[in-house]
Amino acid sequence: MPSAALRVIRPLIRIGSFIAPRTAGRAAFRLFCTPPRQPGSDTRSGKAIQGARSRLAPAQRQAVPYACGSVSTYLFEPEAGLQDVAQEGLRDEAGPAPTVILLHGWNSEAAFMTAFVAPLLAAGFRVVAYDMPAHGASTGAELNIPLGVASLAAVARVFAPVHAIVTHSFGGAIALAALAGSVPGEPRIKARRLALISAPSSIATITRNFGATIGLGRRGQAALEKRIHSVAGNPVEVFEGREQLAGIGLPTLVIHDRQDRELDFHHAEALAAAGPFVTLEATGGLGHRRILQAKSVVESVTRFVVG
């Protein structure tokens, strides 16, 4: 959030947290779940987004409905001669090639995951990227873990069988919750492998850091976490990455940059402590977002997905 907006909102949140904590908590939850507006197409960032979206041009586009709207999906199919490459035992002969789902992070979109498409297609996989709720071309104004899990479950159902999920940032938290079955009422999705790039390990920590940033007091923070519990069907502590990952037990690759300024490297170390089935790879100097375009990262993820 821009510092100018924080200077305006912090005093209001602080006062509201004291005199009307429930109202302040609900307002904080809505703010927490609302991604910022996309920059205009005439700005530098807007031009970068348009350039990234052009890489989705070869994909087959489909709107996949879920309970709260629809998400825009982008399907890349391998060439007929490649569908059996490295796929023996992974699919029925009459069925489609196994799918790799690419799941972007907060305030991003499917277009920024496209560096992984070509090598995964060359390995014989179908690749599906999609815009999460309130992002890219998908519907909605908010994104939270229940909405993300519901949309991922819908995409996984349409493009089954799912071999692997490759995630970035907040997408990792959503994939963990979906695989662990942490949102009541949503089916637990299935995959064989999971790659977590720059993923958070603790939603509770992120929530409390957010509260501190906007000036939410103790009572307001409690109301915010109560609202999360009400919406998600579980307290925020249930969505701790290490515990969810330990329960899932899938072969998992964790890649994180030591200079990540948005999510400190300790998040990766916590995830890696989930069990011996987790492989941790550290990078240096790539930060939180450029890591998605690094050749070494794309190669590591592809090797891991192929197995």
Side-chain angles (χ1 to χ4, degrees), residues 101 156 161-165 178-179 187-193 250:
I101 296 177
V162 177
H163 174 69
I165 305 174
L179 289 163
R188 180 180 297 199
I189 69 169
K190 296 180 180 180
R192 292 171 180 261
R193 288 178 172 262
L250 279 178

Side-chain angles (χ1 to χ4, degrees), residues 27 30 37 105 165 297:
R30 185 167 185 176
R37 291 181 179 179
I165 305 174
V297 172

